[in-house]
Amino acid sequence: MNRDTRALLIAATGEDPEPYRAALTAQMPDLVVHAEGEGYDPATIAYSLVWKPTPGLMANLPNLEAIFSMGAGIDHVLADPQLPPGPPIVRLMHDKTREQMRDYVLHVVLHYYRMMDVAAAQQARGEWRFLQIRDKAALKVGILGLGEMGGAAARALAGLGFSVLGWSRSARRIEGVTGFSGAEGLKEMLAQTHFLVSILPATTDTVGLLDAGLFAALPKGAVVINLGRGNHLVAADLLVALDSGHLAGATLDVFDPEPVPADSPFWTHPKVRLTPHIGSDGNAEICGEAVTANIVRIENGLPPEPVGERARGY
């Protein structure tokens, strides 16, 4: 295929393609951008930008060179049973999305460290009671997932003086972070974690991971923060752990399903902070910058980055 005729196809269920088209062409004016449903020659499509793409769509693009995910995860791409095996699946990663996730984690951990949840409860009861500031270094933050997002949060927390623990499926080394891996490593980390932050990807192994057994492995008074996927959490088990007093609180940004149903107890539970999936936002502008930077890499004979691993699911 002639380089001058190469085009990109936006195939994003539930998303308006126009902001993405505008962002892409602003960065790369010569790039031809089509959206699913428009007329185009499949043979000209070298790149696709996707979110929950229509099954079988990409199998009909014979010259597809790269698949760009609109999010950091690739599980929505791998859900296509006819996904072509050749093109790399490129995760959306940008300095701004790393910063967004880092800042969210910092905010929540600092919130609980300075006992703002306790102060808010006291205010609601009309109580004025002094809260002793705890030793930050004595409070351990455990992070599940030390990838791009988790690693950025871990480094930032360590820089603020927290004792930071990190778990990943395979061992990773991050300066200032005590690393753990594997099943035994997870148990060891949980036993000493005061603030548990999950930024795990979506895989078959992580579904239902945040359950009664995991909560019981945490010290009494621990806090759970879920920024990974909604289906990682067993909601009923979390509510039991909160109501029993074993867990002191939870901040949840991802849910299954989304939006959260109107009758969900999460809306009104006094120990739950709920946010509408705002841990990071790979908006059209950010997406356009990341995708065009990778197209330039490809056009110059370099591999795109970061590429998801199909076998691992992320």
Side-chain angles (χ1 to χ4, degrees), residues 183-256:
E184 291 304 313
L186 178 59
K187 292 179 183 178
E188 185 179 354
M189 188 188 84
L190 292 173
Q192 51 188 312
T193 293
H194 299 94
F195 308 129
L196 182 68
V197 183
S198 178
I199 317 181
L200 289 167
T203 70
T204 54
D205 294 332
T206 56
V207 174
L209 179 66
L210 304 177
D211 65 359
L214 183 143
F215 301 144
L218 292 166
K220 182 178 173 59
V223 166
V224 171
I225 301 155
N226 188 24
L227 289 155
R229 288 289 190 274
N231 65 4
H232 295 173
L233 175 68
V234 180
D237 290 357
L238 175 63
L239 292 168
V240 169
L242 291 169
D243 292 341
S244 72
H246 183 70
L247 294 182
T251 291
L252 309 174
D253 185 55
V254 289
F255 303 89
D256 183 22

Side-chain angles (χ1 to χ4, degrees), residues 14-260:
E15 295 287 336
D16 179 1
E18 294 311 317
Y20 294 90
R21 193 197 315 256
L24 288 162
T25 54
Q27 293 286 322
M28 191 171 282
D30 294 334
L31 180 66
V32 177
V33 180
H34 299 289
E36 185 178 6
E38 298 175 351
Y40 60 87
D41 180 357
T44 66
I45 303 299
Y47 313 109
S48 61
L49 174 59
V50 305
W51 180 255
K52 299 180 180 178
T54 303
L57 177 69
M58 287 177 287
N60 293 316
L61 305 176
N63 295 309
L64 191 61
E65 296 182 24
I67 300 166
F68 297 104
S69 170
M70 281 187 178
I74 65 170
D75 50 300
H76 65 100
V77 184
L78 297 175
D80 181 353
Q82 300 176 56
L83 186 68
I89 306 172
V90 187
R91 301 167 56 215
L92 175 61
M93 198 58 62
H94 192 285
D95 286 344
K96 290 179 181 177
T97 56
R98 294 185 191 92
E99 290 170 3
Q100 291 165 356
M101 185 65 77
R102 176 203 67 191
D103 292 350
Y104 186 109
V105 173
L106 290 177
H107 164 78
V108 178
V109 171
L110 288 169
H111 173 87
Y112 288 115
Y113 154 57
R114 291 303 305 268
M115 293 184 285
M116 296 299 176
D117 56 325
V118 179
Q122 289 182 179
Q123 178 183 349
R125 296 191 298 266
E127 294 178 3
W128 179 273
R129 184 178 299 172
F130 181 75
L131 299 173
Q132 182 71 48
I133 299 175
R134 297 173 290 179
D135 179 8
K136 186 191 302 179
L139 297 171
K140 295 185 178 181
V141 184
I143 297 182
L144 297 174
L146 290 176
E148 298 274 354
M149 300 289 199
R155 293 182 187 92
L157 287 163
L160 288 179
F162 286 99
S163 296
V164 182
L165 317 175
W167 181 87
S168 52
R169 190 171 76 166
S170 55
R172 295 197 180 198
R173 298 185 64 181
I174 296 177
E175 185 176 355
V177 178
T178 302
F180 299 85
S181 61
E184 291 304 313
L186 178 59
K187 292 179 183 178
E188 185 179 354
M189 188 188 84
L190 292 173
Q192 51 188 312
T193 293
H194 299 94
F195 308 129
L196 182 68
V197 183
S198 178
I199 317 181
L200 289 167
T203 70
T204 54
D205 294 332
T206 56
V207 174
L209 179 66
L210 304 177
D211 65 359
L214 183 143
F215 301 144
L218 292 166
K220 182 178 173 59
V223 166
V224 171
I225 301 155
N226 188 24
L227 289 155
R229 288 289 190 274
N231 65 4
H232 295 173
L233 175 68
V234 180
D237 290 357
L238 175 63
L239 292 168
V240 169
L242 291 169
D243 292 341
S244 72
H246 183 70
L247 294 182
T251 291
L252 309 174
D253 185 55
V254 289
F255 303 89
D256 183 22
E258 292 183 0
V260 178

